């Protein structure tokens, strides 16, 4: 169940990657992977970021963990801007903020047994004795559905779904508060996906976790999220409670994404909105509205003026001139 205490707040976050060229490798231009997004996540809530590949959602997750050092903005955890923390202080805090990746296999050292993989973060953070660590490992393995005897095996001896269980155990063994799930079930078969999603929901309730769920799959997002933010070209286009976003999308981009979801009701007639063209180059975004080159509703104003991102209904935010005009 969600509470209303804000645990994580992202303010005007930007992450620009320099594009270097020439003999001196001077930055010629910048890829604006994340271009000024803001959102907050309440304790025990699941907030999801959706959008096409390259929209900046994964870079946002990695920037929160400072795997990419943000270009500017604020990331407040429990009210404190963690971008001001020294490397030492951030390392101490890092156990609270964990990440689960799409491909657990590439993030698991194949030469280590599951037990060693789970022991490693505990010893790195020096938070318990070896005996306590062993007890904790058995307990977390049990929680994610791995038998005691399986922890002496190596990652290659497991199926994709079981490997993701190891990835989850590795993230949770440190008792984090916030877990960032970056396409965590995207590589799995649909039936295994459902098992892992249900496991994540159970673990959230039991361990009182707060999730930032990053995915391109709108069906999965609907199943797990309390609120959803829709990103395009590094910016937030729309953000609302899940049911409201799915039943009453306002932004033309959100409408097009939702129109592509197959309906579970075969009698329902759905009009698919096909977007023209590709996502523009984030090092050379269009003038005005970032979505205007693909937007079926684009008009003159969209070319010259960037729409304001504003709250147009209770807890429902959108960046589109059509809603500037209504309000
Ligand atoms: Fe489309 Fe214009 Fe709205 Fe952008 S501001 S989403 S181009 S109508």
């Amino acid at each position: 169940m969600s509470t209303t205490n804000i645990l994580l707040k992202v303010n005007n976050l930007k992450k620009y990657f320099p594009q270097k060229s020439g003999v001196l490798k001077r930055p010629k231009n910048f890829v604006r992977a994340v271009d000024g997004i803001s959102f907050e996540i309440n304790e025990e809530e699941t907030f999801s970021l959706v959008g096409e590949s390259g929209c900046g959602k994964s870079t946002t997750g990695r920037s929160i963990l400072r795997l990419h050092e943000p270009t500017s903005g604020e990331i407040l955890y429990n009210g404190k801007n963690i971008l001001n923390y020294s490397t030492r202080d951030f390392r101490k805090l890092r156990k609270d903020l964990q990440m689960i990746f799409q491909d657990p296999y590439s993030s698991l050292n194949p030469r280590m047994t599951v037990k060693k993989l789970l022991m490693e973060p505990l010893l790195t953070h020096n938070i318990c004795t070896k005996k306590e660590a062993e007890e904790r490992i058995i307990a977390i393995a049990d929680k994610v559905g791995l038998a005691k005897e399986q922890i002496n095996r190596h990652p290659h001896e497991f199926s994709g779904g079981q490997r993701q269980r190891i990835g989850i155990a590795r993230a949770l063994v440190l008792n984090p508060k916030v877990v960032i799930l970056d396409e965590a079930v995207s590589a799995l078969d649909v039936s295994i996906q459902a098992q892992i999603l249900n496991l994540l929901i159970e673990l959230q309730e039991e361990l009182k976790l707060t999730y930032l769920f990053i995915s391109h799959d709108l069906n999965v997002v609907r199943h797990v999220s309390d609120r959803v933010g829709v990103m395009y070209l590094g910016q937030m286009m729309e953000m609302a409670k899940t049911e409201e976003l799915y039943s009453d999308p306002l932004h033309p981009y959100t409408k097009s994404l939702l129109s592509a979801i197959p309906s579970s009701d075969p009698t329902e007639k759905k009009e698919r909105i096909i977007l023209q063209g590709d996502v523009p180059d984030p090092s050379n975004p269009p003038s005005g509205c970032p979505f205007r080159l693909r937007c079926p509703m684009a008009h003159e104003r969209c070319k010259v003026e960037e729409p304001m991102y504003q709250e147009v209904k209770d807890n429902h935010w959108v960046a589109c001139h059509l809603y500037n005009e209504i309000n």
Side-chain angles (χ1 to χ4, degrees), residues 251-253 289-293 295-299 302 307 319-322:
H251 197 282
Y253 181 53
C289 173
F291 187 53
R292 74 170 170 85
L293 298 177
C295 179
M297 312 293 288
H299 48 285
C302 309
C320 173
H321 288 313
L322 297 175

